[in-house]
Amino acid sequence: MNETSLYKKLTARKLFLVGFMATGKTTIGKRLSCRLNLPFFDSDKDIELALGCSIKEYFRTHKESKFREIEEKIIIEKINNNKDNHFIMSLGGGAYLNHNIRKLINVVGISIWFNSNIDIIYNRLKKSKNERPLMATFNTKEKLETLLKERSLFYQKTDIKVNIINTSKDNMSNIILKQINEYISKKDA
C-alpha cells in the first residue's frame, strides 16, 4: 500500500482517532499526518487554546461537566468550520462518549479506536510527563481499568479497531494505515 493512493481514497473524509488516554492517539496521529500529508488537530490542544488554560486547571475550577460542554462545542465547530475536506483529529479520551460528537463523526469521517490493555496504559501513564485531569480521581490501576471498561462500550462503536501493541511508532503507523486502507476498500466496493 502506498500513502499517495490512500491519500486519494481519503478525499473528503476525515479521520478521528479515538481511545483511552495514553494509547498514542496524538503521537501516531502526527505520524499519520506526515505520511498522508493531511492536517493534524489535537482536540485537547485546541480546547486549551480556547480556554486559555490547561484542561487539568479547568477541571479543577469548573468540574468535568462544564468541560464536556465546552469540549463538544469546540470539537463540533472545528469539524464543521474547517476549510480542509480531510484531516486527522485526535480526540480526548472522553470526547467520543458524547452522542453529538459521535453522530457528526459518523456522518463526516472514519473513527479509529486505539484499543489497549490496562497494563500498557497504566505503565505509560506512570512514565508520562503529561498531567491528566482524570488521574486525580482514577489514581489506581483498578480505578483506571473500571473507567476503561465503561468507555470501551462507546469506543466499540468506531469504524475501525486497532489493537495498540508494544512496537515501534513506525510499525504501529503501518498497521493503522493498512487497516484504514482495508476499511475504505470494503466501504467503496
Side-chain angles (χ1 to χ4, degrees), residues 88-125:
I88 299 170
M89 180 184 284
S90 169
L91 297 176
Y96 197 72
L97 281 62
N98 179 298
H99 173 75
N100 295 326
I101 293 172
R102 217 172 38 252
K103 192 168 116 181
L104 181 57
I105 288 171
N106 288 337
V107 171
V108 301
I110 299 170
S111 54
I112 305 163
W113 174 20
F114 282 43
N115 182 38
S116 188
N117 69 50
I118 193 62
D119 293 323
I120 291 173
I121 291 169
Y122 187 69
N123 288 331
R124 286 181 178 180
L125 286 170

Side-chain angles (χ1 to χ4, degrees), residues 15-29:
L15 297 177
F16 296 91
L17 311 181
V18 175
F20 206 67
M21 58 184 133
T23 54
K25 299 179 304 277
T26 299
T27 302
I28 299 297

Side-chain angles (χ1 to χ4, degrees), residues 127-181:
K127 294 176 191 174
S128 176
K129 293 176 184 151
N130 291 344
E131 293 187 44
R132 319 269 179 160
L134 288 178
M135 288 302 293
T137 306
F138 299 93
N139 53 6
T140 67
K141 188 175 179 180
E142 293 73 26
K143 289 179 182 179
L144 278 173
E145 188 168 27
T146 300
L147 182 62
L148 175 61
K149 285 179 182 174
E150 290 170 8
R151 289 184 171 186
S152 292
L153 298 173
F154 294 93
Y155 297 155
Q156 289 174 19
K157 298 176 184 193
T158 57
D159 298 312
I160 299 171
K161 175 185 174 185
V162 177
N163 289 315
I164 301 302
I165 54 175
N166 281 324
T167 186
S168 72
K169 292 172 179 101
D170 283 334
N171 191 40
M172 204 65 243
S173 298
N174 289 337
I175 291 167
I176 293 166
L177 287 171
K178 183 176 184 240
Q179 288 191 293
I180 293 168
N181 192 45

